[in-house]
Amino acid sequence: MRLRALLDTDALGLRLLGGEDELDRPVRGVMTTDLRDPSRYLSGGELVLTGLAWRHDATDSEPFVRILAQAGVSALAAGEAELGPIPDDLVEACRHHRMPLFAVNETVAFATITEYVVRQVSGERAGDLAAVVDRHRRLMTSGPAGGGPEVVLDLLAGDLSLSAWVLSPTGRRIADAGKPLPGPVATALAGRHLAAARTGRRGPHATSVDGTTYALFPVRNSGRGSVPALRDTRGSALSEWLLAVEADPGDWPEARLDLLQGVTQLIAVERDRRDAARTVRRRLAQEVLELVQASAAPAEIAARLRVAAPVLLPGLGTAPHWQVVVARVEWEAPAGGSPARTGAEDPAGGPVAQALLEEILVDPAVTGPDSADRIAVAYTEDEAVALVPLPGTGPAGTVPGDGTPDDRSGAHGADSALRAGLLLEAVREPLSAGLAEDGRLTLGVSAAVHSAEGLRGALEEARHARRVAAARPGPVCAAGHDELASHVLLLPFVPDDVRRAFTARLLDPLRSYDERHRAELIPTLEAFLECDGSWTRCATRLHLHVNTLRYRVGRIEQLTGRDLSRLEDKLDFFLALRMS
């Protein structure tokens, strides 16, 4: 915008007092000040508005205007509302420093001028940057070297002073322009985006975290990569990236909104490219999964693993161990709709689980550095299966499945093996918002294995672990192989009627007695079992005399007809308490 445009706008009430030859100067911003020296707040190209409160006598005008000229200010506009007509010494100082000077009519507020300049300048900058973004988008779509989304985020930061980040559905930072975003803030933004996206409303969605306002734009999956676009709103929200901009979009002009929408399209192109780069790994995982499910010969599975090893761990030179992770996304039908839909009945269940599992497993906090180049995820109609390589310890040239014994506790050990707890920690908070009341994500993790025969067992192990997770409450649950050697594996699959009958027979007499006499037999039984039947430790824990504890245990045995000195009866009570 030029100074001449300000003078030609009648609504601004500006009157030119000097500087006719400088009216083609550009205006890049606006600032209101009554400081004697505002230089620290000036960057050049501003229209400076002042009420002249800094001027005490005629000698103040020259140094004030000199400071503005040295800072590269485009023009000065002085108000007449407080002190009346503009003094001659200020007019002379502006003439001397070739500084255009406007008088602002007392009926016009500085806020009116400020709003007009900001709107015009922002619109022009947005238009200029939109052209740059469009050129960059064409560059990225026409060749392999586009620079990635960081280049566009740098443009937003440099030209419009907008800090922006590209985040995954779990809050993992995918790209930024150098400004850090705290992990808890990223997680909160991802969760709020998922919750807003489920409504189906068009972005951006405005939200505030720790007093800072952000605009959240969805980055849609176009389906041009190797993952199909998802039509269901619930599924697509869980599989899309988001662009978070540190700004309130409520006052943005249409041009700036269009610009940011264009940025999301550009980022979507980059996502398609990354999806396409995973094609080989996905195909290998799909082939291995099909062989394992078809009970193929170990030698045939080993041949596929032999091909997969250098692709997933390039340059390693040793045979990796493998872990299997199984994920399933399940939805209930909307209220008043058809019966509850499970992932097996929803064709989007498998692709959504695949997209989620890939985003989770490429997080360095979950699977370590360089994980993006290692993860291979296949999917069936209702679940996703990830093949996760872990650095092995065998000599170079060792072939998985060539007879090497299955090793679940070797040097890969607990340090590098993936744990269900890590998965749960990485996804529980943001994805719970996206799944809301009608969706669930359940995850199962196998032990690490080093053979084709072990891989078949690892898949079954991961599926069993996922079923254990599915029996737990909550929208996001995970379980690991270590839980399969416990009663935890058995209890979830006990039918409800059997569960109720078993617990009622053992515990109802104790509950009834506690209600009548406040005897606390149930808490006493729990403590006694947790103390492994030790009278002294249990009495100390409950702050009771040992004789009092013996009386309570005797009453428990009398009411139930059981003997707590017998292992079988202790086990029955233990299971009943766990199932209650």
Side-chain angles (χ1 to χ4, degrees):
M1 184 179 65
R2 305 289 174 176
L3 289 173
R4 193 179 305 279
L6 295 175
L7 191 61
D8 293 341
T9 304
D10 295 337
L12 299 183
L14 297 178
R15 187 173 76 257
L16 184 65
L17 300 181
E20 294 86 347
D21 297 334
E22 306 293 331
L23 291 180
D24 287 328
R25 287 187 181 185
V27 179
R28 300 187 181 90
V30 61
M31 176 189 176
T32 299
T33 184
D34 277 311
L35 296 174
R36 296 172 65 88
D37 180 5
S39 58
R40 73 183 69 181
Y41 305 109
L42 298 171
S43 58
E46 295 93 344
L47 170 67
V48 173
L49 305 173
T50 180
L52 300 179
W54 49 267
R55 181 184 177 278
H56 300 294
D57 55 48
T59 61
D60 292 333
S61 294
E62 201 285 335
F64 179 81
V65 177
R66 183 176 67 251
I67 289 170
L68 300 187
Q70 291 174 347
V73 167
S74 292
L76 175 65
E80 297 179 322
E82 292 292 333
L83 303 179
I86 307 303
D88 292 339
D89 51 89
L90 180 59
V91 175
E92 178 58 26
C94 288
R95 185 195 62 76
H96 176 73
H97 289 284
R98 301 179 63 84
M99 176 66 63
L101 176 63
F102 298 96
V104 182
N105 191 284
E106 63 181 7
T107 62
V108 178
F110 282 177
T112 301
I113 301 174
T114 299
E115 181 180 355
Y116 178 86
V117 173
V118 169
R119 187 167 60 248
Q120 296 299 315
V121 171
S122 295
E124 290 173 3
R125 287 187 178 181
D128 292 341
L129 186 56
V132 175
V133 170
D134 185 64
R135 288 195 296 271
H136 191 73
R137 179 178 59 81
R138 291 197 300 270
L139 177 64
M140 290 186 70
T141 55
S142 61
E150 287 85 357
V151 175
V152 182
L153 300 188
D154 285 337
L155 291 174
L156 291 176
D159 284 40
L160 292 181
S161 299
L162 291 176
S163 298
W165 302 265
V166 180
L167 305 175
S168 77
T170 63
R172 178 178 63 88
R173 184 189 57 78
I174 296 169
D176 61 34
K179 183 177 179 178
L181 185 68
V185 175
T187 299
L189 291 177
R192 295 183 188 184
H193 167 72
L194 288 173
R198 282 177 55 91
T199 66
R201 291 185 291 108
R202 185 174 182 267
H205 306 292
T207 188
S208 180
V209 179
D210 295 338
T212 301
T213 301
Y214 298 87
L216 307 179
F217 294 81
V219 179
R220 307 291 186 191
N221 175 17
S222 68
R224 288 191 293 269
S226 56
V227 172
L230 301 169
R231 301 290 177 247
D232 183 87
T233 300
R234 298 176 298 182
S236 62
L238 288 172
S239 60
E240 67 190 17
W241 290 354
L242 71 135
L243 174 67
V245 183
E246 187 179 323
D248 186 347
D251 299 327
W252 282 359
E254 195 65 30
R256 181 167 290 195
L257 288 172
D258 290 342
L259 165 66
L260 269 297
Q261 295 294 350
V263 169
T264 63
Q265 294 173 14
L266 190 153
I267 296 170
V269 173
E270 174 64 15
R271 182 177 184 182
D272 289 342
R273 179 170 293 153
R274 295 189 186 188
D275 280 344
R278 294 172 177 169
T279 300
V280 173
R281 297 195 297 273
R282 288 173 177 147
R283 185 171 65 246
L284 286 171
Q286 200 74 38
E287 291 173 354
V288 172
L289 175 61
E290 290 173 358
L291 289 173
V292 171
Q293 292 189 134
S295 300
E300 188 175 358
I301 299 174
R304 284 290 87 196
L305 292 178
R306 190 180 296 111
V307 173
V311 173
L312 301 181
L313 287 173
L316 184 66
T318 60
H321 293 80
W322 304 94
Q323 267 186 293
V324 174
V325 181
V326 172
R328 180 177 291 193
V329 176
E330 298 172 304
W331 303 102
E332 294 180 0
S338 59
R341 290 187 291 142
T342 65
E345 297 165 339
D346 185 353
V352 173
Q354 181 192 41
L356 271 178
L357 200 50
E358 285 182 334
E359 292 295 349
I360 296 167
L361 295 178
V362 299
D363 188 344
V366 176
T367 49
D370 303 322
S371 54
D373 296 328
R374 298 187 306 160
I375 306 304
V377 184
Y379 72 89
T380 63
E381 186 179 9
D382 61 343
E383 70 179 7
V385 179
L387 190 62
V388 182
L390 304 172
T393 58
T398 302
V399 178
D402 62 355
T404 306
D406 185 3
D407 178 9
R408 294 174 179 247
S409 58
H412 62 84
D415 293 335
S416 60
L418 179 63
R419 293 176 178 82
L422 283 176
L423 291 177
L424 197 57
E425 182 179 351
V427 302
R428 177 162 36 198
E429 182 177 342
L431 294 189
S432 293
L435 291 160
E437 301 298 326
D438 60 349
R440 296 199 76 205
L441 168 67
T442 49
L443 300 151
V445 183
S446 78
V449 297
H450 191 204
S451 69
E453 295 90 341
L455 192 62
R456 181 181 290 110
L459 176 60
E460 291 303 315
E461 196 170 54
R463 283 175 169 163
H464 282 305
R466 193 209 62 79
R467 293 189 190 102
V468 170
R472 296 171 176 166
V476 183
C477 297
H481 63 92
D482 52 313
E483 299 179 64
L484 301 185
S486 164
H487 65 279
V488 176
L489 174 63
L490 302 175
L491 297 186
F493 307 107
V494 176
D496 287 343
D497 55 344
V498 176
R499 180 192 301 260
R500 285 191 296 268
F502 182 73
T503 57
R505 184 178 303 166
L506 284 173
L507 301 183
D508 278 3
L510 305 182
R511 291 195 182 103
S512 298
Y513 191 87
D514 282 346
E515 290 174 0
R516 293 194 308 271
H517 303 285
R518 298 183 181 179
E520 297 188 354
L521 296 185
I522 293 287
T524 301
L525 176 61
E526 290 177 324
F528 187 72
L529 295 175
E530 288 172 3
C531 292
D532 298 324
S534 170
W535 297 100
T536 303
R537 282 194 289 126
C538 185
T540 301
R541 177 172 175 174
L542 296 176
H543 306 290
L544 297 174
H545 191 278
V546 173
N547 289 339
T548 303
L549 176 61
R550 291 186 182 277
Y551 171 80
R552 289 187 181 180
V553 170
R555 178 63 67 183
I556 291 170
E557 293 174 334
Q558 180 184 13
L559 291 170
T560 60
R562 299 298 184 105
D563 183 355
L564 278 170
S565 66
R566 286 167 41 87
L567 176 61
E568 294 87 346
D569 289 341
K570 287 181 181 177
L571 179 59
D572 283 348
F573 278 122
F574 175 81
L575 294 175
L577 289 169
R578 290 297 180 271
M579 287 191 291
S580 63

